[in-house]
Amino acid sequence: MTVVQGLLRFETAGKGLTDITGEVAVWLAQSRLLKGVLTLFCRHTSAGLLISENASVAVQRDLLRWLDRLAPEGSHYEHDDEGPDDMPAHIKAMLTGSALTVPFAGNRMLLGTWQGIYLIEHRARGHTREIVLTGIGE
Amino acid sequence: MTVVQGLLRFETAGKGLTDITGEVAVWLAQSRLLKGVLTLFCRHTSAGLLISENASVAVQRDLLRWLDRLAPEGSHYEHDDEGPDDMPAHIKAMLTGSALTVPFAGNRMLLGTWQGIYLIEHRARGHTREIVLTGIGE
Amino acid sequence: MTVVQGLLRFETAGKGLTDITGEVAVWLAQSRLLKGVLTLFCRHTSAGLLISENASVAVQRDLLRWLDRLAPEGSHYEHDDEGPDDMPAHIKAMLTGSALTVPFAGNRMLLGTWQGIYLIEHRARGHTREIVLTGIGE
């Protein structure tokens, strides 16, 4: 049993999903871990991590529009120092969560056929986002 | 320290919660792990895993009705190739999440008195759902 | 590799966020684990765990008000045996989740600059809440 830890950085382009499945798979391959659990942790409170459908970009657009309706920008938030998109971003980050846990075996993640791993940016403008990866296993 | 991994399959009957606490407890007992963390991972993007109240079926019905109001079927989704219940299912799966992490000791999960582990089906029709279990511990 | 497990109890004062980052950091320091993953698990179905912005109390108030609007008290729930705040609390607990996973290195959690760990109480009155901590690592 061992622990392997690393950090990946991604540049987002404002609100949207970034498919990071490939980068995470490469990181896991290089870790040489065979069987265990991989934890991804987003070090930010206005972006998050999500497992979602990997076949249709329309699904991503629907998710983003639905989140925008659920937590719209507006003048009804007390916290607005950092712009109208900031408080909705914190709300969406609460809903989508900051961490993912994915099992692996044979040095590969056990994702379902239609599952991809996404970094979801909730701020209007792009940001550099850090994801800590920790693999625990054999 | 060791890793034990397995797969459980469940047949759902359409939208609803399936209590899988018993099956998970049996799996953990057979793993012979004493102390550590158990990760459950749902390999689908229109079903999820949930820890919820285990005493009242009315709670489950209220949760399902509330989710239906929050992400209703309708003609306002761009993605509708797989039927009107598909996009609401992806939205609900984003909210409920695809993984659970439960600590255990003495070969038993440390759930609270009122906590049960549920597979939540978000599609209208029943499906076969796969859950990967990974126990890491002593 | 080793597993260290413990329990922290917190008294909440009704609906609100309790910053538990300091207590968790002390627990991790005492565990003497250097590198790995820490899992926090809330043993209740009407309270949860959340990573959120740690600089502005206004953010917390906005989160709570938004949750109250999304899952309001009212007469439209079937389950109301334990008071009008009970079913909204179960709904909010479904959204915020019962567990957190946080990576650590050098015996310190790898939280981002603006991230704090919060216990979120969803019931109107205060309760004693139990959090199981499990550190797995070297």
Side-chain angles (χ1 to χ4, degrees):
Chain A
M1 288 284 295
T2 186
V3 181
V4 181
Q5 205 165 59
L7 183 75
L8 294 178
R9 279 192 187 81
F10 298 93
E11 301 291 328
T12 66
K15 269 188 212 174
L17 277 72
T18 304
D19 188 338
I20 63 172
T21 317
E23 284 89 341
V24 174
V26 166
W27 185 90
L28 181 64
Q30 292 173 345
S31 78
R32 295 180 181 276
L33 290 168
L34 290 178
K35 186 171 72 171
V37 169
L38 175 63
T39 297
L40 293 84
F41 182 82
C42 178
R43 303 183 73 226
H44 309 276
T45 60
S46 51
L49 291 161
L50 188 61
I51 288 184
S52 190
E53 214 263 11
N54 59 11
S56 163
V57 182
V59 170
Q60 298 178 25
R61 287 190 293 257
D62 277 328
L63 290 178
L64 292 167
R65 278 188 288 253
W66 185 87
L67 283 170
D68 273 344
R69 277 197 304 270
L70 194 69
E73 294 189 13
S75 56
H76 52 298
Y77 300 110
E78 181 183 345
H79 173 79
D80 60 2
D81 310 348
E82 296 172 52
D85 65 316
D86 188 48
M87 196 57 226
H90 290 310
I91 291 170
K92 294 169 186 174
M94 172 175 67
L95 295 178
T96 52
S98 52
L100 289 179
T101 307
V102 185
F104 57 90
N107 193 238
R108 298 170 72 99
M109 291 184 282
L110 297 173
L111 294 168
T113 310
W114 308 108
Q115 289 182 310
I117 300 177
Y118 294 89
L119 168 60
I120 180 164
E121 174 63 67
H122 296 305
R123 296 300 305 267
R125 291 195 308 143
H127 285 74
T128 304
R129 300 304 195 178
E130 296 185 345
I131 310 292
V132 179
L133 290 90
T134 310
I136 297 185
E138 297 174 344
Chain B
M1 289 283 296
T2 188
V3 181
V4 181
Q5 206 164 59
L7 183 75
L8 294 179
R9 279 192 187 83
F10 298 93
E11 301 291 328
T12 65
K15 268 188 215 172
L17 279 71
T18 304
D19 188 339
I20 63 171
T21 317
E23 284 89 341
V24 175
V26 166
W27 185 90
L28 181 63
Q30 291 173 347
S31 78
R32 296 182 180 272
L33 290 167
L34 289 179
K35 186 171 71 171
V37 168
L38 175 63
T39 297
L40 292 83
F41 182 81
C42 177
R43 302 184 73 226
H44 309 275
T45 61
S46 51
L49 291 162
L50 188 62
I51 288 183
S52 190
E53 212 264 12
N54 60 11
S56 163
V57 183
V59 170
Q60 298 178 25
R61 286 190 293 257
D62 278 327
L63 290 177
L64 293 166
R65 278 189 290 252
W66 185 87
L67 284 168
D68 273 345
R69 277 197 304 269
L70 194 69
E73 294 190 14
S75 57
H76 52 296
Y77 300 111
E78 180 182 347
H79 174 78
D80 59 3
D81 310 349
E82 295 171 54
D85 65 316
D86 188 46
M87 197 57 225
H90 290 311
I91 292 170
K92 294 169 187 175
M94 172 175 67
L95 296 178
T96 52
S98 52
L100 289 180
T101 307
V102 184
F104 58 89
N107 192 238
R108 298 170 73 99
M109 290 185 282
L110 297 174
L111 294 169
T113 310
W114 309 107
Q115 288 183 311
I117 300 177
Y118 294 89
L119 168 61
I120 179 164
E121 174 63 67
H122 296 306
R123 296 299 305 268
R125 290 195 309 142
H127 285 75
T128 303
R129 300 303 194 179
E130 295 185 346
I131 310 293
V132 179
L133 289 91
T134 311
I136 296 185
E138 298 173 343
Chain C
M1 288 283 294
T2 187
V3 181
V4 182
Q5 205 165 58
L7 182 75
L8 293 179
R9 280 192 187 84
F10 297 93
E11 301 290 327
T12 66
K15 271 189 211 173
L17 279 71
T18 304
D19 188 338
I20 64 172
T21 317
E23 283 89 341
V24 175
V26 166
W27 185 89
L28 181 63
Q30 291 172 346
S31 78
R32 295 180 181 275
L33 291 167
L34 289 179
K35 186 171 71 170
V37 168
L38 175 63
T39 298
L40 292 83
F41 182 81
C42 177
R43 303 183 74 225
H44 308 276
T45 60
S46 51
L49 291 161
L50 188 62
I51 288 184
S52 191
E53 213 264 10
N54 60 11
S56 163
V57 183
V59 170
Q60 299 178 24
R61 287 190 292 256
D62 277 329
L63 291 177
L64 292 167
R65 277 188 289 253
W66 184 87
L67 284 169
D68 273 345
R69 277 196 305 268
L70 194 69
E73 294 189 13
S75 56
H76 51 297
Y77 301 111
E78 181 183 345
H79 174 78
D80 60 2
D81 310 349
E82 296 171 53
D85 65 315
D86 188 47
M87 197 56 225
H90 290 311
I91 292 171
K92 294 170 187 174
M94 172 175 67
L95 295 177
T96 51
S98 50
L100 290 178
T101 306
V102 185
F104 59 88
N107 192 238
R108 298 170 73 99
M109 290 185 282
L110 297 173
L111 295 169
T113 309
W114 308 107
Q115 288 182 311
I117 300 177
Y118 294 89
L119 168 61
I120 179 164
E121 174 63 67
H122 296 306
R123 297 300 305 269
R125 289 195 309 142
H127 285 75
T128 304
R129 300 303 195 179
E130 295 186 346
I131 310 292
V132 178
L133 290 90
T134 312
I136 296 186
E138 297 173 344

